[in-house]
Amino acid sequence: MGNVAGMPSLKLVEAGARAGAIEVENYRIALDLRQAEQPDAGFGCATTISFRAHQPDAETFVDIKAERVHSASLNGQPIDVAAIRDGRLALTGLLAANELHVLSEMAYSTDGEGLHRHVDPADGRTYLYAMSFLDAGPRWFACFDQPDLKATYDVTVRCPTDWTVLGNGAPRSSAPGEWTLATTKPLSTYFVTLVAGPYHSIRSEHDGITLGVHARASLAAHLQDEAEEIFAVTARAFDRYHELFGLRYPFGEYHQAFVPDFNAGAMENPGCVTLRDQYVFRSATTTGERGVRANTIVHELAHMWFGDLVTMRWWDDLWLNESFAEYMAHRVCSEITDYAAWSEFGIRRKDWGYVADQAPSTHPVAGNGSADAAGALADFDGISYAKGAAALKQLASYLGDDVFFGGLRAYFTQHAFGNAEFSDLIAAWTAAGGVAVDEWARQWLRTAGLDTISAEPTATGLALTRRSPDTSDRPHALRVNGYASDGSLVLDETVVLAGEPVRLTSPQPIALAVADAEDDTWAKIRFGPAGWTALAALLPQIANPLSRVVAYNAVRDAVRDAELDPARALDVLLSASQFESDPYVVGDLWNFAIGSLAGPYSPPEQRPARRERIAEVALGQLRSAEPGSDGQLVAARSFIRTTGSSQTLLGWLDGRERPDGLRIDAELRWALVGALATMGAVDEDFLAAELAADLSASGAGHAARARAALPLASSKARAWALLTEPSAASAYELYATAEGFFPASQDELTAPYVPRFFTEIPATAAHRKGFALARVALLAYPHSSAARATLELAAAALARAELDGGIRRSLIDASDAQRRAVVSQQRYRSS
């Protein structure tokens, strides 16, 4: 059964029937990984499941997606394994107490799901980790794979003698190459993990909890440099969560394994969180980027209570896990660190969610009625994270901390190690003293789309109005600021805006009114008919960094809605980049300027001039920034991406000309190489030499991206084959290739591949699945080909009934983003 692409997704009705038929008690999993270092080897898995049937002679099925099932038996009686269909083995004639034994040969994966195998280019060593989310557990052990059939786990592993093994239970080695993991608390199948290989480990302890951080041996020196901060953030987060939740961490040891080729930011496996190993920084980073890592650490720790201790009954309520962890992480990170967590939430996370909430694929935060697991995964997006978190921030303010956390403590206690639904949480908040919580949920969580809030100066002050995309009457509790023409703050009030406009009186005339000055609500913000002119003039005078984030998001929203000329938006953002004090925010503004305003939102003939203008501003910032500062690094990255001067970049690369204080480390060197490759200033031999000098997983990804970006027909053909044909390439190599294939400067060269994208990329569903399938489609989408003809090709692809669901979602979202760019170009083309 080696290729699991195309297997049916578990349906809600099937999950309900199985949960009604059985109760799972324990898994005993024995893994034989001794041949893992052999290139074509698989691994052996013996799974024994103890479970009870609620009725005698009941029947159900177990999930198993193996290369080969050697044998299976139920209560000592053999089962015909030839009867396995679509990854399911039928079980009939159940007794009150049952024991199922499955012996199988499993395949390692290269797509970051199941038991992933990575060979480190730096030293040739092999590393494994398991990712069981969302339905990948059966790719490495037989299981009843649904979130409401929790059980305990006992895992034993045989592996090469110099390996370390980690998992959900505390690890113990009884002999070289033989490991036992302690019996876990009851877990859902999608939390079960294993980390195995010659990992470099550093251990610590805090408040009686054993802590560990782990990474590949080639990253050992970098992990040593980063471990102190990682442990410090983890420890402070433990203390704060213990204080807020009133319930200690319940899963024993706490390991954080930084693993290669990881698709997400991290995964909240109880006792053994897996995180992408880019968080073990090997090059210079900004304070904001360190803040993102800290936030991820705090986010995953929040899941130990919300998601792991209490788990949703069905995937529909997955948003509960993520929205809660997203809100708690930003709140707690802002309390226990010096990082500007809420600024990052606004400029990056909320913008991600705003885009999702305005796409055709928008959906309510809660209650989406997903009929199967795959459908739930399609709705796992910026709405599940950012919109839900923004709504919870409003709810916490509305309820007050005593009620908000009192309800959570009761919820955790009542449902510990079990499953619950959103209604259970509402009941807990109501019992703690919350009023009309269900009505709040109806207004904010069971409706889709963004309200638009406009704050318009009037003769006596300002007027606030709300426009909804539907009939919803969502209340917005927000701070409103008014600025006089000299930039002075003359109005600062907190209001609740619902159906009726709100009028505020000011002692002085208002030139610019900013609704949601603390970035508290979830809405598009506008400034009235003359607002963009006033904003451009007064933005440098706004002292509140969150108000500036609100303004930047308004600019980006208005561009996407074709309400603001992209050329004018570029003026505003380039001006802002010269006074904005947060380099992380500046970097995000430049990303939008480069990726959108000088890309799809620009007519092709205007793109070079816009990119050069961005380069000039970035170079000015680079020269004026303090040597070695975050501002210098952010400016350097943006200059590299936009300059047309290959000679300048070559001078930086070989050291002939280099700004004072700017260190050309591994990551910045690859940025230079990638830019030169896109220009055609280097060739494949040059890229091969660069990769030989940086034999690392990161280097391999950068090289793949640069090869795909070379403006040569032969290079494009090889990259396209990698994207569309079966191969052993890792998911990361595919993502990098997809990112490099359609640069905005190569429309003529890549034009033949635009129609091919809409037929050949969907066809990859025959050999690719899950996250990687949809992600490659999204990253490889020809965004720069912003034309009606491309939209027509997308529409034709979407009309095909057989289109894979993950690819369909990617095409819906990407083509909507492209449609917005086409509309904007048509409206403002003469600019």
Side-chain angles (χ1 to χ4, degrees):
M1 274 190 215
N3 185 359
V4 297
M7 286 191 179
S9 180
L10 180 69
K11 292 180 171 57
L12 173 58
V13 293
E14 295 171 326
R18 187 159 62 175
I22 65 171
E23 178 181 341
V24 189
E25 296 176 331
N26 174 261
Y27 288 84
R28 299 194 302 279
I29 302 171
L31 298 168
D32 185 351
L33 311 177
R34 288 175 295 177
Q35 301 303 310
E37 294 172 326
Q38 303 302 314
D40 299 322
F43 63 97
C45 178
T47 305
T48 301
I49 312 175
S50 299
F51 65 101
R52 302 188 67 81
H54 295 150
Q55 304 232 341
D57 212 30
E59 59 184 56
T60 187
F61 61 91
V62 70
D63 302 291
I64 177 72
K65 300 173 183 177
E67 282 289 288
R68 185 168 66 257
V69 177
H70 298 295
S71 64
S73 63
L74 177 65
N75 301 323
Q77 299 300 309
I79 303 174
D80 181 10
V81 298
I84 296 176
R85 293 290 181 272
D86 293 330
R88 297 176 178 181
L89 176 61
L91 306 176
T92 59
L94 299 182
L95 306 177
N98 301 274
E99 185 171 276
L100 173 68
H101 182 74
V102 179
L103 181 63
S104 56
E105 182 75 15
M106 314 296 282
Y108 294 110
S109 78
T110 58
D111 62 6
E113 300 181 69
L115 189 55
H116 180 88
R117 180 179 181 272
H118 172 89
V119 178
D120 191 345
D123 55 17
R125 302 304 306 273
T126 298
Y127 294 86
L128 310 177
Y129 65 88
M131 178 65 160
S132 297
F133 181 85
L134 170 130
D135 56 0
R139 293 176 66 177
W140 68 286
F141 68 101
C143 57
F144 298 108
D145 192 29
Q146 60 190 72
D148 61 343
L149 289 177
K150 287 188 169 184
T152 59
Y153 288 79
D154 291 280
V155 179
T156 58
V157 178
R158 290 188 293 172
C159 61
T161 57
D162 61 344
W163 279 23
T164 291
V165 172
L166 305 164
N168 304 100
R172 180 177 62 84
S173 178
S174 56
E178 296 184 9
W179 292 78
T180 300
L181 303 179
T183 304
T184 70
K185 298 290 188 181
L187 305 177
S188 297
T189 49
Y190 82 94
F191 293 134
V192 183
T193 195
L194 183 85
V195 175
Y199 284 89
H200 179 72
S201 300
I202 304 172
R203 287 177 168 80
S204 184
E205 183 273 341
H206 177 72
D207 193 20
I209 303 168
T210 297
L211 306 178
V213 293
H214 315 267
R216 288 174 288 135
S218 62
L219 294 174
H222 303 298
L223 186 65
Q224 291 289 154
D225 291 339
E226 302 296 330
E228 181 179 0
E229 181 179 349
I230 293 169
F231 282 137
V233 170
T234 304
R236 291 197 292 268
F238 263 122
D239 291 344
R240 187 60 175 140
Y241 285 144
H242 285 158
E243 178 184 1
L244 292 171
F245 299 155
L247 185 68
R248 282 185 62 81
Y249 168 70
F251 294 109
E253 297 186 358
Y254 192 75
H255 295 275
Q256 296 175 89
F258 296 86
V259 298
D261 307 331
F262 200 69
N263 284 320
M267 178 64 198
E268 63 269 20
N269 314 303
C272 186
V273 172
T274 42
L275 307 94
R276 56 172 52 217
D277 62 9
Q278 288 92 332
Y279 284 137
V280 180
F281 301 127
R282 67 178 195 144
S283 294
T285 55
T286 66
T287 300
E289 288 160 350
R290 290 185 169 276
V292 170
R293 181 181 67 184
N295 196 278
T296 301
I297 290 169
V298 180
H299 178 113
E300 300 310 314
L301 188 56
H303 275 309
M304 298 300 122
W305 287 265
F306 216 113
D308 296 5
L309 178 65
V310 183
T311 309
M312 74 275 151
R313 194 171 304 283
W314 177 243
W315 297 113
D316 265 3
D317 278 334
L318 184 62
W319 73 270
L320 263 176
N321 298 8
E322 297 307 338
S323 297
F324 177 84
E326 183 91 345
Y327 166 65
M328 289 306 305
H330 284 88
R331 172 175 173 154
V332 170
C333 206
S334 68
E335 295 172 350
I336 66 172
T337 74
D338 294 329
Y339 297 124
W342 286 118
S343 289
E344 181 270 333
F345 180 70
I347 200 69
R348 180 67 59 86
R349 306 295 281 182
K350 286 184 80 171
D351 185 64
W352 171 43
Y354 286 162
V355 171
D357 208 14
Q358 297 176 80
S361 57
T362 187
H363 54 85
V365 175
N368 290 295
S370 299
D372 58 28
L377 181 61
D379 288 337
F380 193 54
D381 54 21
I383 296 170
S384 310
Y385 284 81
K387 183 176 183 178
L392 287 175
K393 186 181 181 186
Q394 289 247 334
L395 179 65
S397 176
Y398 165 66
L399 294 178
D401 278 357
D402 287 347
V403 172
F404 185 76
F405 288 109
L408 286 179
R409 293 183 192 116
Y411 175 80
F412 293 148
T413 300
Q414 182 178 354
H415 301 286
F417 303 112
N419 298 86
E421 298 174 348
F422 182 40
S423 58
D424 298 312
L425 182 55
I426 289 179
W429 275 323
T430 302
V435 177
V437 182
D438 196 54
E439 175 61 16
W440 171 87
R442 182 193 65 78
Q443 293 169 327
W444 275 105
L445 302 180
R446 301 190 189 281
T447 59
L450 276 165
D451 289 349
T452 300
I453 296 175
S454 180
E456 183 177 345
T458 65
T460 58
L462 62 83
L464 283 173
T465 57
R466 182 191 68 93
R467 187 174 73 253
S468 175
D470 50 31
T471 58
S472 302
D473 191 22
R474 290 178 281 262
H476 298 266
L478 43 83
R479 190 93 162 260
V480 182
N481 284 175
Y483 294 87
S485 58
D486 63 358
S488 59
L489 180 64
V490 295
L491 185 146
D492 183 7
E493 292 195 27
T494 299
V495 303
V496 175
L497 176 67
E500 296 300 317
V502 173
R503 295 185 178 276
L504 300 175
T505 301
S506 170
Q508 298 181 44
I510 291 176
L512 175 68
V514 180
D516 198 22
E518 292 292 329
D519 200 19
D520 285 324
T521 196
W522 183 264
K524 294 194 286 189
I525 302 299
R526 296 294 184 263
F527 309 99
W532 298 119
T533 300
L535 181 69
L538 297 177
L539 192 52
Q541 308 299 316
I542 297 178
N544 185 343
L546 292 177
S547 294
R548 296 197 300 271
V549 166
V550 168
Y552 302 145
N553 280 342
V555 169
R556 294 192 288 195
D557 265 332
V559 168
R560 296 183 188 117
D561 286 349
E563 295 176 7
L564 180 63
D565 186 341
R568 191 175 185 187
L570 185 62
D571 291 340
V572 173
L573 296 187
L574 288 183
S575 174
S577 72
Q578 298 176 71
F579 62 77
E580 173 57 52
S581 59
D582 187 336
Y584 186 85
V585 172
V586 172
D588 220 61
L589 299 183
W590 271 334
N591 286 340
F592 181 73
I594 297 166
S596 295
L597 303 181
Y601 284 85
S602 172
E605 67 274 10
Q606 295 181 19
R607 291 174 188 173
R610 289 191 185 181
R611 290 172 63 85
E612 197 55 43
R613 188 169 167 221
I614 297 168
E616 289 174 4
V617 174
L619 184 60
Q621 292 289 94
L622 177 64
R623 288 170 172 165
S624 63
E626 181 181 346
S629 66
D630 286 2
Q632 185 190 49
L633 179 58
V634 169
R637 291 170 177 170
S638 297
F639 175 75
I640 290 167
R641 291 176 62 190
T642 51
T643 183
S645 174
S646 60
Q647 290 305 308
T648 299
L649 299 188
L650 287 167
W652 286 19
L653 199 62
D654 63 23
R656 287 181 289 110
E657 299 176 25
R658 190 174 295 170
D660 291 341
L662 186 67
R663 184 166 62 91
I664 307 298
D665 53 29
E667 292 301 308
L668 204 58
R669 184 175 184 87
W670 275 112
L672 290 164
V673 170
L676 289 165
T678 304
M679 295 179 195
V682 297
D683 58 18
E684 293 206 12
D685 289 342
F686 185 94
L687 299 181
E690 288 294 320
L691 180 57
D694 181 21
L695 286 175
S696 67
S698 294
H702 289 308
R705 187 179 297 104
R707 285 194 297 268
L710 286 168
L712 300 170
S714 57
S715 298
K716 294 297 182 186
R718 282 190 289 272
W720 191 253
L722 186 64
L723 290 174
T724 56
E725 298 173 7
S727 75
S730 74
Y732 266 36
E733 186 175 353
L734 294 174
Y735 302 157
T737 301
E739 289 171 336
F741 195 87
F742 282 111
S745 58
Q746 296 177 5
D747 278 1
E748 185 175 345
L749 175 64
T750 58
Y753 289 96
V754 173
R756 293 179 63 180
F757 171 90
F758 292 100
T759 56
E760 296 177 35
I761 291 296
T764 61
H767 62 266
R768 200 173 288 151
K769 76 177 293 284
F771 188 97
L773 173 64
R775 186 68 175 163
V776 169
L778 187 63
L779 293 176
Y781 190 92
H783 293 279
S784 65
S785 180
R788 287 288 176 191
T790 311
L791 295 177
E792 291 169 2
L793 290 168
L798 287 167
R800 295 200 289 270
E802 74 279 6
L803 193 66
D804 172 85
I807 288 183
R808 180 177 298 279
R809 174 63 185 269
S810 292
L811 293 190
I812 288 172
D813 290 348
S815 62
D816 180 64
Q818 191 170 59
R819 177 192 62 79
R820 291 171 177 271
V822 170
V823 171
S824 175
Q825 279 198 43
Q826 289 176 334
R827 182 167 296 178
Y828 299 111
R829 192 172 185 89
S830 61
S831 301

